[in-house]
Amino acid sequence: MRRVIIIGSGPAGYTAAIYSARAGLAPLVLTGERIGGWLTTTTEIENFPGFPDGVLGSELMEQMKRQAERFGAEISIDTVTKVDLSKRPFQVFINDRIETAESIIIATGSSARRLNVPGEDRLWGHGLSICATCDGFFFRDKDIAVVGGGDSAMEEAIFLTRFARQVQILVRGSEHELRASKPMLERARANEKIEFIYNVDVVEVLGEQIVRGVTIKNNQTNEERELALAGLFLAIGQVPNTQLFTGQLELSKGYIVTDCKSTATKVPGVFACGDVADWKFRQAITAAGTGCMAALEAQRFLAEKI
Ligand code: NDP
């Protein structure tokens, strides 16, 4: 039996691993499918303290992993299929294998939101992508579009201009309702390959084997039209990865509920940190901060209760 199992390997999971490993708790980190979390799919991160020249997301996560391993965290490339938090020791299932632990730190993060429109499932991975860093290369000199009006959409669009002929950003709100931060927005607006289209909903992704365009609807006039595109990138936010915990932990709008100023859930010994419990900030640095909190709280729990 383990003292701590950490589920997830983003900034929250790895920070929890660094702190709990350094405290001698020999944590087991179950990485999930995307080792290092979704930051590994972003490009440069300019606002993580300590990196005045920016750092690649993948590099930052690799450094965190190495730091956790240095103190004795065991990092296992496994995806959890079920958990039983009804009694201690808690049980964590990885297909048929069961790991048990006196405390659990949940850092499962969030996943890309989807449009839920016709054509999306069929064309997923066939010109429809959620990762410019992974797939941008395939669109050299092509016309493509990015859906979304937040920082992710700006970042993806700017990155994609390295390859594409033109990048259209499809925003469902107006010009004044963009969520993107000022510097990101200014950078996107200054890029001559980028064009914004406002007040549009994507109603269908077109193409049989591969994306050939989208149908967009102006949500002010209801007028529909087709855009010819070789690729479509979604950057419309995230949904928390809490399916494993439904019915076992209290959730609010899908996010795990924790006590105010704490990572404690309603189940003693179970802590949640990072984006899975944070609808508000969702930053790498806040995720890392709550990962640290979770490790310290798990440590205290183990010292007091076990
Ligand atoms: P956000 O939640 O900030 O933005 C999501 C965007 O997608 C909004 O414009 C939203 O529109 C739109 N949207 C949601 N659902 C749909 C839909 N069905 N159809 C069309 N549009 C839709 O998510 P992000 O991923 O952009 O950012 C998350 C956090 O990560 C933010 O705090 C951001 O600052 C941060 N971040 C920082 C980066 C950096 O600093 N380099 C890079 C990327 C992200 P609406 O406004 O109408 O709801």
Side-chain angles (χ1 to χ4, degrees), residues 38 44-47 113-115 147-153 155 170-173 177 179 184 200 235-238 281-283:
W38 74 265
E44 188 142 305
I45 299 172
E46 293 181 332
N47 51 10
R113 181 175 287 131
R114 300 178 64 140
L115 288 168
V147 188
D151 279 341
S152 296
E155 189 182 59
L170 309 178
V171 184
R172 68 178 174 185
E177 290 167 324
R179 277 195 215 202
M184 295 290 269
V200 286
I236 56 173
Q238 306 283 317
F281 301 108
R282 295 176 296 165
Q283 299 295 303

PDB file of all heavy atoms in Angstrom, residues 38 44-47 113-115 147-153 155 170-173 177 179 184 200 235-238 281-283, ligand 1:
ATOM      1  N   TRP A  38      -1.793  19.009 -20.621  1.00  0.00           N
ATOM      2  CA  TRP A  38      -2.014  19.721 -21.880  1.00  0.00           C
ATOM      3  C   TRP A  38      -1.000  20.817 -22.148  1.00  0.00           C
ATOM      4  O   TRP A  38      -0.861  21.276 -23.274  1.00  0.00           O
ATOM      5  CB  TRP A  38      -3.454  20.200 -22.022  1.00  0.00           C
ATOM      6  CG  TRP A  38      -3.875  21.366 -21.182  1.00  0.00           C
ATOM      7  CD1 TRP A  38      -4.488  21.305 -19.965  1.00  0.00           C
ATOM      8  CD2 TRP A  38      -3.733  22.752 -21.472  1.00  0.00           C
ATOM      9  NE1 TRP A  38      -4.724  22.566 -19.488  1.00  0.00           N
ATOM     10  CE2 TRP A  38      -4.279  23.479 -20.395  1.00  0.00           C
ATOM     11  CE3 TRP A  38      -3.210  23.464 -22.550  1.00  0.00           C
ATOM     12  CZ2 TRP A  38      -4.297  24.864 -20.338  1.00  0.00           C
ATOM     13  CZ3 TRP A  38      -3.228  24.864 -22.497  1.00  0.00           C
ATOM     14  CH2 TRP A  38      -3.770  25.537 -21.408  1.00  0.00           C
ATOM     15  N   GLU A  44       5.304  28.358 -26.492  1.00  0.00           N
ATOM     16  CA  GLU A  44       6.082  29.035 -25.466  1.00  0.00           C
ATOM     17  C   GLU A  44       5.199  29.550 -24.329  1.00  0.00           C
ATOM     18  O   GLU A  44       4.132  30.096 -24.570  1.00  0.00           O
ATOM     19  CB  GLU A  44       6.790  30.209 -26.131  1.00  0.00           C
ATOM     20  CG  GLU A  44       7.765  30.864 -25.212  1.00  0.00           C
ATOM     21  CD  GLU A  44       9.001  31.301 -25.963  1.00  0.00           C
ATOM     22  OE1 GLU A  44       9.608  30.447 -26.629  1.00  0.00           O
ATOM     23  OE2 GLU A  44       9.333  32.486 -25.869  1.00  0.00           O
ATOM     24  N   ILE A  45       5.693  29.379 -23.101  1.00  0.00           N
ATOM     25  CA  ILE A  45       4.991  29.936 -21.948  1.00  0.00           C
ATOM     26  C   ILE A  45       5.827  31.106 -21.456  1.00  0.00           C
ATOM     27  O   ILE A  45       7.010  30.947 -21.147  1.00  0.00           O
ATOM     28  CB  ILE A  45       4.838  28.870 -20.849  1.00  0.00           C
ATOM     29  CG1 ILE A  45       4.017  27.715 -21.413  1.00  0.00           C
ATOM     30  CG2 ILE A  45       4.173  29.450 -19.612  1.00  0.00           C
ATOM     31  CD1 ILE A  45       3.959  26.523 -20.523  1.00  0.00           C
ATOM     32  N   GLU A  46       5.200  32.271 -21.437  1.00  0.00           N
ATOM     33  CA  GLU A  46       5.969  33.484 -21.127  1.00  0.00           C
ATOM     34  C   GLU A  46       5.737  33.984 -19.715  1.00  0.00           C
ATOM     35  O   GLU A  46       6.414  34.902 -19.267  1.00  0.00           O
ATOM     36  CB  GLU A  46       5.567  34.610 -22.099  1.00  0.00           C
ATOM     37  CG  GLU A  46       5.979  34.323 -23.521  1.00  0.00           C
ATOM     38  CD  GLU A  46       5.604  35.451 -24.470  1.00  0.00           C
ATOM     39  OE1 GLU A  46       4.624  36.160 -24.179  1.00  0.00           O
ATOM     40  OE2 GLU A  46       6.293  35.598 -25.485  1.00  0.00           O
ATOM     41  N   ASN A  47       4.743  33.374 -19.026  1.00  0.00           N
ATOM     42  CA  ASN A  47       4.383  33.961 -17.733  1.00  0.00           C
ATOM     43  C   ASN A  47       4.625  33.028 -16.558  1.00  0.00           C
ATOM     44  O   ASN A  47       4.097  33.235 -15.481  1.00  0.00           O
ATOM     45  CB  ASN A  47       2.912  34.423 -17.761  1.00  0.00           C
ATOM     46  CG  ASN A  47       1.984  33.331 -18.242  1.00  0.00           C
ATOM     47  OD1 ASN A  47       2.404  32.185 -18.386  1.00  0.00           O
ATOM     48  ND2 ASN A  47       0.737  33.679 -18.495  1.00  0.00           N
ATOM     49  N   ARG A 113     -12.709  21.171 -24.896  1.00  0.00           N
ATOM     50  CA  ARG A 113     -14.153  21.167 -25.162  1.00  0.00           C
ATOM     51  C   ARG A 113     -14.382  20.929 -26.649  1.00  0.00           C
ATOM     52  O   ARG A 113     -13.560  21.297 -27.483  1.00  0.00           O
ATOM     53  CB  ARG A 113     -14.736  22.515 -24.737  1.00  0.00           C
ATOM     54  CG  ARG A 113     -16.223  22.622 -24.949  1.00  0.00           C
ATOM     55  CD  ARG A 113     -16.784  23.927 -24.415  1.00  0.00           C
ATOM     56  NE  ARG A 113     -16.818  23.937 -22.970  1.00  0.00           N
ATOM     57  CZ  ARG A 113     -16.362  24.920 -22.214  1.00  0.00           C
ATOM     58  NH1 ARG A 113     -15.816  25.987 -22.757  1.00  0.00           N
ATOM     59  NH2 ARG A 113     -16.442  24.859 -20.907  1.00  0.00           N
ATOM     60  N   ARG A 114     -15.506  20.315 -26.956  1.00  0.00           N
ATOM     61  CA  ARG A 114     -15.826  20.046 -28.360  1.00  0.00           C
ATOM     62  C   ARG A 114     -17.038  20.845 -28.788  1.00  0.00           C
ATOM     63  O   ARG A 114     -17.804  21.325 -27.963  1.00  0.00           O
ATOM     64  CB  ARG A 114     -16.060  18.541 -28.535  1.00  0.00           C
ATOM     65  CG  ARG A 114     -14.811  17.749 -28.147  1.00  0.00           C
ATOM     66  CD  ARG A 114     -15.017  16.271 -28.262  1.00  0.00           C
ATOM     67  NE  ARG A 114     -15.256  15.852 -29.618  1.00  0.00           N
ATOM     68  CZ  ARG A 114     -14.766  14.750 -30.167  1.00  0.00           C
ATOM     69  NH1 ARG A 114     -13.996  13.953 -29.461  1.00  0.00           N
ATOM     70  NH2 ARG A 114     -15.047  14.413 -31.397  1.00  0.00           N
ATOM     71  N   LEU A 115     -17.211  20.958 -30.102  1.00  0.00           N
ATOM     72  CA  LEU A 115     -18.317  21.760 -30.636  1.00  0.00           C
ATOM     73  C   LEU A 115     -19.656  21.036 -30.584  1.00  0.00           C
ATOM     74  O   LEU A 115     -20.704  21.671 -30.519  1.00  0.00           O
ATOM     75  CB  LEU A 115     -18.041  22.103 -32.104  1.00  0.00           C
ATOM     76  CG  LEU A 115     -16.943  23.119 -32.416  1.00  0.00           C
ATOM     77  CD1 LEU A 115     -16.624  23.102 -33.901  1.00  0.00           C
ATOM     78  CD2 LEU A 115     -17.384  24.509 -31.984  1.00  0.00           C
ATOM     79  N   VAL A 147     -11.288  28.081 -34.053  1.00  0.00           N
ATOM     80  CA  VAL A 147     -12.537  28.488 -33.383  1.00  0.00           C
ATOM     81  C   VAL A 147     -12.209  28.886 -31.948  1.00  0.00           C
ATOM     82  O   VAL A 147     -11.533  28.132 -31.245  1.00  0.00           O
ATOM     83  CB  VAL A 147     -13.570  27.344 -33.365  1.00  0.00           C
ATOM     84  CG1 VAL A 147     -14.923  27.856 -32.855  1.00  0.00           C
ATOM     85  CG2 VAL A 147     -13.720  26.718 -34.735  1.00  0.00           C
ATOM     86  N   GLY A 148     -12.696  30.054 -31.504  1.00  0.00           N
ATOM     87  CA  GLY A 148     -12.499  30.483 -30.123  1.00  0.00           C
ATOM     88  C   GLY A 148     -12.046  31.923 -30.051  1.00  0.00           C
ATOM     89  O   GLY A 148     -11.526  32.465 -31.037  1.00  0.00           O
ATOM     90  N   GLY A 149     -12.230  32.516 -28.876  1.00  0.00           N
ATOM     91  CA  GLY A 149     -11.848  33.925 -28.724  1.00  0.00           C
ATOM     92  C   GLY A 149     -10.998  34.155 -27.484  1.00  0.00           C
ATOM     93  O   GLY A 149     -10.842  35.278 -27.028  1.00  0.00           O
ATOM     94  N   GLY A 150     -10.428  33.074 -26.936  1.00  0.00           N
ATOM     95  CA  GLY A 150      -9.582  33.193 -25.737  1.00  0.00           C
ATOM     96  C   GLY A 150      -8.098  33.181 -26.104  1.00  0.00           C
ATOM     97  O   GLY A 150      -7.732  33.203 -27.286  1.00  0.00           O
ATOM     98  N   ASP A 151      -7.260  33.144 -25.079  1.00  0.00           N
ATOM     99  CA  ASP A 151      -5.808  33.138 -25.310  1.00  0.00           C
ATOM    100  C   ASP A 151      -5.366  31.922 -26.118  1.00  0.00           C
ATOM    101  O   ASP A 151      -4.447  32.008 -26.935  1.00  0.00           O
ATOM    102  CB  ASP A 151      -5.058  33.141 -23.968  1.00  0.00           C
ATOM    103  CG  ASP A 151      -4.969  34.542 -23.373  1.00  0.00           C
ATOM    104  OD1 ASP A 151      -5.152  35.510 -24.131  1.00  0.00           O
ATOM    105  OD2 ASP A 151      -4.725  34.644 -22.166  1.00  0.00           O
ATOM    106  N   SER A 152      -6.013  30.778 -25.880  1.00  0.00           N
ATOM    107  CA  SER A 152      -5.622  29.567 -26.626  1.00  0.00           C
ATOM    108  C   SER A 152      -5.828  29.786 -28.116  1.00  0.00           C
ATOM    109  O   SER A 152      -4.976  29.439 -28.930  1.00  0.00           O
ATOM    110  CB  SER A 152      -6.446  28.356 -26.203  1.00  0.00           C
ATOM    111  OG  SER A 152      -6.195  28.053 -24.878  1.00  0.00           O
ATOM    112  N   ALA A 153      -6.967  30.376 -28.480  1.00  0.00           N
ATOM    113  CA  ALA A 153      -7.269  30.592 -29.896  1.00  0.00           C
ATOM    114  C   ALA A 153      -6.241  31.538 -30.514  1.00  0.00           C
ATOM    115  O   ALA A 153      -5.751  31.301 -31.625  1.00  0.00           O
ATOM    116  CB  ALA A 153      -8.683  31.153 -30.052  1.00  0.00           C
ATOM    117  N   GLU A 155      -3.179  32.091 -29.462  1.00  0.00           N
ATOM    118  CA  GLU A 155      -1.879  31.415 -29.495  1.00  0.00           C
ATOM    119  C   GLU A 155      -1.806  30.411 -30.645  1.00  0.00           C
ATOM    120  O   GLU A 155      -0.825  30.369 -31.391  1.00  0.00           O
ATOM    121  CB  GLU A 155      -1.634  30.703 -28.161  1.00  0.00           C
ATOM    122  CG  GLU A 155      -0.242  30.166 -28.032  1.00  0.00           C
ATOM    123  CD  GLU A 155      -0.033  29.423 -26.716  1.00  0.00           C
ATOM    124  OE1 GLU A 155      -0.754  28.442 -26.459  1.00  0.00           O
ATOM    125  OE2 GLU A 155       0.845  29.808 -25.964  1.00  0.00           O
ATOM    126  N   LEU A 170     -12.602  32.240 -35.825  1.00  0.00           N
ATOM    127  CA  LEU A 170     -14.070  32.271 -35.794  1.00  0.00           C
ATOM    128  C   LEU A 170     -14.524  32.481 -34.350  1.00  0.00           C
ATOM    129  O   LEU A 170     -14.322  31.608 -33.495  1.00  0.00           O
ATOM    130  CB  LEU A 170     -14.631  30.961 -36.367  1.00  0.00           C
ATOM    131  CG  LEU A 170     -14.061  30.536 -37.737  1.00  0.00           C
ATOM    132  CD1 LEU A 170     -14.668  29.199 -38.178  1.00  0.00           C
ATOM    133  CD2 LEU A 170     -14.321  31.611 -38.792  1.00  0.00           C
ATOM    134  N   VAL A 171     -15.109  33.622 -34.084  1.00  0.00           N
ATOM    135  CA  VAL A 171     -15.489  34.001 -32.720  1.00  0.00           C
ATOM    136  C   VAL A 171     -17.010  34.057 -32.626  1.00  0.00           C
ATOM    137  O   VAL A 171     -17.654  34.680 -33.474  1.00  0.00           O
ATOM    138  CB  VAL A 171     -14.906  35.398 -32.362  1.00  0.00           C
ATOM    139  CG1 VAL A 171     -15.194  35.764 -30.920  1.00  0.00           C
ATOM    140  CG2 VAL A 171     -13.413  35.446 -32.640  1.00  0.00           C
ATOM    141  N   ARG A 172     -17.570  33.425 -31.603  1.00  0.00           N
ATOM    142  CA  ARG A 172     -19.047  33.427 -31.534  1.00  0.00           C
ATOM    143  C   ARG A 172     -19.596  34.738 -30.976  1.00  0.00           C
ATOM    144  O   ARG A 172     -20.741  35.091 -31.207  1.00  0.00           O
ATOM    145  CB  ARG A 172     -19.562  32.232 -30.747  1.00  0.00           C
ATOM    146  CG  ARG A 172     -19.256  32.248 -29.272  1.00  0.00           C
ATOM    147  CD  ARG A 172     -19.865  31.031 -28.605  1.00  0.00           C
ATOM    148  NE  ARG A 172     -19.483  30.929 -27.203  1.00  0.00           N
ATOM    149  CZ  ARG A 172     -19.798  29.921 -26.429  1.00  0.00           C
ATOM    150  NH1 ARG A 172     -20.490  28.906 -26.919  1.00  0.00           N
ATOM    151  NH2 ARG A 172     -19.434  29.896 -25.172  1.00  0.00           N
ATOM    152  N   GLY A 173     -18.766  35.463 -30.217  1.00  0.00           N
ATOM    153  CA  GLY A 173     -19.196  36.746 -29.666  1.00  0.00           C
ATOM    154  C   GLY A 173     -18.796  37.905 -30.571  1.00  0.00           C
ATOM    155  O   GLY A 173     -18.315  37.697 -31.687  1.00  0.00           O
ATOM    156  N   GLU A 177     -16.278  41.239 -27.008  1.00  0.00           N
ATOM    157  CA  GLU A 177     -16.500  40.175 -26.012  1.00  0.00           C
ATOM    158  C   GLU A 177     -15.371  39.152 -25.992  1.00  0.00           C
ATOM    159  O   GLU A 177     -15.513  38.094 -25.386  1.00  0.00           O
ATOM    160  CB  GLU A 177     -17.810  39.455 -26.318  1.00  0.00           C
ATOM    161  CG  GLU A 177     -19.035  40.294 -26.044  1.00  0.00           C
ATOM    162  CD  GLU A 177     -20.309  39.702 -26.632  1.00  0.00           C
ATOM    163  OE1 GLU A 177     -20.246  39.112 -27.731  1.00  0.00           O
ATOM    164  OE2 GLU A 177     -21.350  39.829 -25.991  1.00  0.00           O
ATOM    165  N   ARG A 179     -12.285  37.015 -25.027  1.00  0.00           N
ATOM    166  CA  ARG A 179     -11.741  36.737 -23.698  1.00  0.00           C
ATOM    167  C   ARG A 179     -10.222  36.844 -23.646  1.00  0.00           C
ATOM    168  O   ARG A 179      -9.633  36.827 -22.572  1.00  0.00           O
ATOM    169  CB  ARG A 179     -12.088  35.295 -23.318  1.00  0.00           C
ATOM    170  CG  ARG A 179     -13.458  35.198 -22.751  1.00  0.00           C
ATOM    171  CD  ARG A 179     -13.596  33.868 -22.087  1.00  0.00           C
ATOM    172  NE  ARG A 179     -14.953  33.395 -22.269  1.00  0.00           N
ATOM    173  CZ  ARG A 179     -15.505  32.514 -21.504  1.00  0.00           C
ATOM    174  NH1 ARG A 179     -14.824  31.963 -20.534  1.00  0.00           N
ATOM    175  NH2 ARG A 179     -16.735  32.137 -21.721  1.00  0.00           N
ATOM    176  N   MET A 184      -1.946  39.192 -26.112  1.00  0.00           N
ATOM    177  CA  MET A 184      -2.160  38.109 -27.093  1.00  0.00           C
ATOM    178  C   MET A 184      -3.016  38.618 -28.254  1.00  0.00           C
ATOM    179  O   MET A 184      -2.784  38.325 -29.415  1.00  0.00           O
ATOM    180  CB  MET A 184      -2.867  36.917 -26.445  1.00  0.00           C
ATOM    181  CG  MET A 184      -2.081  36.226 -25.387  1.00  0.00           C
ATOM    182  SD  MET A 184      -0.685  35.336 -26.063  1.00  0.00           S
ATOM    183  CE  MET A 184      -1.421  33.757 -26.337  1.00  0.00           C
ATOM    184  N   VAL A 200     -20.147  34.442 -35.141  1.00  0.00           N
ATOM    185  CA  VAL A 200     -20.481  33.258 -35.934  1.00  0.00           C
ATOM    186  C   VAL A 200     -20.395  31.983 -35.101  1.00  0.00           C
ATOM    187  O   VAL A 200     -19.499  31.809 -34.272  1.00  0.00           O
ATOM    188  CB  VAL A 200     -19.574  33.105 -37.188  1.00  0.00           C
ATOM    189  CG1 VAL A 200     -19.961  34.124 -38.246  1.00  0.00           C
ATOM    190  CG2 VAL A 200     -18.110  33.174 -36.862  1.00  0.00           C
ATOM    191  N   ALA A 235     -10.211  25.728 -30.239  1.00  0.00           N
ATOM    192  CA  ALA A 235      -9.555  26.279 -29.041  1.00  0.00           C
ATOM    193  C   ALA A 235     -10.654  26.946 -28.225  1.00  0.00           C
ATOM    194  O   ALA A 235     -10.655  28.153 -28.013  1.00  0.00           O
ATOM    195  CB  ALA A 235      -8.479  27.273 -29.448  1.00  0.00           C
ATOM    196  N   ILE A 236     -11.628  26.122 -27.809  1.00  0.00           N
ATOM    197  CA  ILE A 236     -12.842  26.683 -27.200  1.00  0.00           C
ATOM    198  C   ILE A 236     -12.935  26.334 -25.712  1.00  0.00           C
ATOM    199  O   ILE A 236     -14.019  26.237 -25.162  1.00  0.00           O
ATOM    200  CB  ILE A 236     -14.114  26.237 -27.965  1.00  0.00           C
ATOM    201  CG1 ILE A 236     -14.207  24.711 -28.050  1.00  0.00           C
ATOM    202  CG2 ILE A 236     -14.131  26.856 -29.349  1.00  0.00           C
ATOM    203  CD1 ILE A 236     -15.523  24.227 -28.645  1.00  0.00           C
ATOM    204  N   GLY A 237     -11.772  26.186 -25.089  1.00  0.00           N
ATOM    205  CA  GLY A 237     -11.783  25.985 -23.647  1.00  0.00           C
ATOM    206  C   GLY A 237     -11.723  24.517 -23.258  1.00  0.00           C
ATOM    207  O   GLY A 237     -11.579  23.633 -24.105  1.00  0.00           O
ATOM    208  N   GLN A 238     -11.844  24.320 -21.982  1.00  0.00           N
ATOM    209  CA  GLN A 238     -11.592  23.000 -21.394  1.00  0.00           C
ATOM    210  C   GLN A 238     -12.777  22.550 -20.542  1.00  0.00           C
ATOM    211  O   GLN A 238     -13.510  23.393 -20.031  1.00  0.00           O
ATOM    212  CB  GLN A 238     -10.364  23.091 -20.479  1.00  0.00           C
ATOM    213  CG  GLN A 238      -9.131  23.657 -21.151  1.00  0.00           C
ATOM    214  CD  GLN A 238      -8.452  22.659 -22.056  1.00  0.00           C
ATOM    215  OE1 GLN A 238      -8.299  21.495 -21.698  1.00  0.00           O
ATOM    216  NE2 GLN A 238      -8.045  23.080 -23.234  1.00  0.00           N
ATOM    217  N   PHE A 281      -9.052  30.336 -12.411  1.00  0.00           N
ATOM    218  CA  PHE A 281      -7.746  30.858 -12.826  1.00  0.00           C
ATOM    219  C   PHE A 281      -7.114  30.020 -13.945  1.00  0.00           C
ATOM    220  O   PHE A 281      -6.615  30.565 -14.920  1.00  0.00           O
ATOM    221  CB  PHE A 281      -6.806  30.940 -11.619  1.00  0.00           C
ATOM    222  CG  PHE A 281      -7.336  31.825 -10.529  1.00  0.00           C
ATOM    223  CD1 PHE A 281      -7.813  31.297  -9.346  1.00  0.00           C
ATOM    224  CD2 PHE A 281      -7.392  33.198 -10.720  1.00  0.00           C
ATOM    225  CE1 PHE A 281      -8.315  32.113  -8.350  1.00  0.00           C
ATOM    226  CE2 PHE A 281      -7.894  34.031  -9.728  1.00  0.00           C
ATOM    227  CZ  PHE A 281      -8.356  33.485  -8.541  1.00  0.00           C
ATOM    228  N   ARG A 282      -7.074  28.704 -13.772  1.00  0.00           N
ATOM    229  CA  ARG A 282      -6.602  27.766 -14.790  1.00  0.00           C
ATOM    230  C   ARG A 282      -5.252  28.146 -15.399  1.00  0.00           C
ATOM    231  O   ARG A 282      -5.093  28.190 -16.612  1.00  0.00           O
ATOM    232  CB  ARG A 282      -7.674  27.590 -15.868  1.00  0.00           C
ATOM    233  CG  ARG A 282      -8.923  26.931 -15.320  1.00  0.00           C
ATOM    234  CD  ARG A 282     -10.003  26.851 -16.342  1.00  0.00           C
ATOM    235  NE  ARG A 282     -10.458  28.151 -16.748  1.00  0.00           N
ATOM    236  CZ  ARG A 282     -11.188  28.402 -17.814  1.00  0.00           C
ATOM    237  NH1 ARG A 282     -11.522  27.427 -18.609  1.00  0.00           N
ATOM    238  NH2 ARG A 282     -11.580  29.621 -18.101  1.00  0.00           N
ATOM    239  N   GLN A 283      -4.324  28.476 -14.570  1.00  0.00           N
ATOM    240  CA  GLN A 283      -2.975  28.817 -15.033  1.00  0.00           C
ATOM    241  C   GLN A 283      -1.993  27.756 -14.552  1.00  0.00           C
ATOM    242  O   GLN A 283      -2.212  27.112 -13.519  1.00  0.00           O
ATOM    243  CB  GLN A 283      -2.550  30.173 -14.441  1.00  0.00           C
ATOM    244  CG  GLN A 283      -3.438  31.319 -14.850  1.00  0.00           C
ATOM    245  CD  GLN A 283      -3.369  31.583 -16.339  1.00  0.00           C
ATOM    246  OE1 GLN A 283      -2.314  31.823 -16.888  1.00  0.00           O
ATOM    247  NE2 GLN A 283      -4.507  31.491 -17.005  1.00  0.00           N
TER     248      GLN A 283
HETATM  249  P1  NDP B   1     -11.205  30.367 -22.442  1.00  0.00           P
HETATM  250  O1  NDP B   1     -12.248  29.737 -21.595  1.00  0.00           O
HETATM  251  O2  NDP B   1     -10.483  31.574 -21.972  1.00  0.00           O
HETATM  252  O3  NDP B   1     -11.850  30.762 -23.857  1.00  0.00           O
HETATM  253  C1  NDP B   1     -12.662  29.873 -24.549  1.00  0.00           C
HETATM  254  C2  NDP B   1     -13.153  30.555 -25.810  1.00  0.00           C
HETATM  255  O4  NDP B   1     -13.883  29.607 -26.591  1.00  0.00           O
HETATM  256  C3  NDP B   1     -14.083  31.734 -25.559  1.00  0.00           C
HETATM  257  O5  NDP B   1     -13.861  32.706 -26.535  1.00  0.00           O
HETATM  258  C4  NDP B   1     -15.462  31.075 -25.736  1.00  0.00           C
HETATM  259  O6  NDP B   1     -16.446  31.976 -26.166  1.00  0.00           O
HETATM  260  C5  NDP B   1     -15.179  30.113 -26.859  1.00  0.00           C
HETATM  261  N1  NDP B   1     -16.127  29.003 -26.921  1.00  0.00           N
HETATM  262  C6  NDP B   1     -16.517  28.147 -25.946  1.00  0.00           C
HETATM  263  N2  NDP B   1     -17.386  27.232 -26.417  1.00  0.00           N
HETATM  264  C7  NDP B   1     -17.559  27.535 -27.726  1.00  0.00           C
HETATM  265  C8  NDP B   1     -18.326  26.969 -28.758  1.00  0.00           C
HETATM  266  N3  NDP B   1     -19.100  25.892 -28.556  1.00  0.00           N
HETATM  267  N4  NDP B   1     -18.268  27.537 -29.993  1.00  0.00           N
HETATM  268  C9  NDP B   1     -17.471  28.594 -30.220  1.00  0.00           C
HETATM  269  N5  NDP B   1     -16.718  29.183 -29.295  1.00  0.00           N
HETATM  270  C10 NDP B   1     -16.756  28.651 -28.057  1.00  0.00           C
HETATM  271  O7  NDP B   1     -10.208  29.159 -22.785  1.00  0.00           O
HETATM  272  P2  NDP B   1      -8.689  29.169 -23.269  1.00  0.00           P
HETATM  273  O8  NDP B   1      -8.362  27.753 -23.514  1.00  0.00           O
HETATM  274  O9  NDP B   1      -8.491  30.131 -24.364  1.00  0.00           O
HETATM  275  O10 NDP B   1      -7.867  29.691 -22.008  1.00  0.00           O
HETATM  276  C11 NDP B   1      -7.940  29.022 -20.736  1.00  0.00           C
HETATM  277  C12 NDP B   1      -6.981  29.690 -19.750  1.00  0.00           C
HETATM  278  O11 NDP B   1      -5.631  29.437 -20.130  1.00  0.00           O
HETATM  279  C13 NDP B   1      -7.137  31.203 -19.717  1.00  0.00           C
HETATM  280  O12 NDP B   1      -6.968  31.643 -18.397  1.00  0.00           O
HETATM  281  C14 NDP B   1      -6.009  31.698 -20.591  1.00  0.00           C
HETATM  282  O13 NDP B   1      -5.568  33.014 -20.257  1.00  0.00           O
HETATM  283  C15 NDP B   1      -4.928  30.659 -20.314  1.00  0.00           C
HETATM  284  N6  NDP B   1      -4.001  30.533 -21.467  1.00  0.00           N
HETATM  285  C16 NDP B   1      -2.832  31.228 -21.435  1.00  0.00           C
HETATM  286  C17 NDP B   1      -1.928  31.164 -22.498  1.00  0.00           C
HETATM  287  C18 NDP B   1      -0.656  31.925 -22.421  1.00  0.00           C
HETATM  288  O14 NDP B   1      -0.504  32.750 -21.535  1.00  0.00           O
HETATM  289  N7  NDP B   1       0.300  31.677 -23.307  1.00  0.00           N
HETATM  290  C19 NDP B   1      -2.216  30.336 -23.689  1.00  0.00           C
HETATM  291  C20 NDP B   1      -3.483  29.656 -23.628  1.00  0.00           C
HETATM  292  C21 NDP B   1      -4.332  29.774 -22.552  1.00  0.00           C
HETATM  293  P3  NDP B   1     -17.304  32.869 -25.133  1.00  0.00           P
HETATM  294  O15 NDP B   1     -16.367  33.954 -24.677  1.00  0.00           O
HETATM  295  O16 NDP B   1     -18.414  33.353 -26.002  1.00  0.00           O
HETATM  296  O17 NDP B   1     -17.750  31.959 -24.034  1.00  0.00           O
END
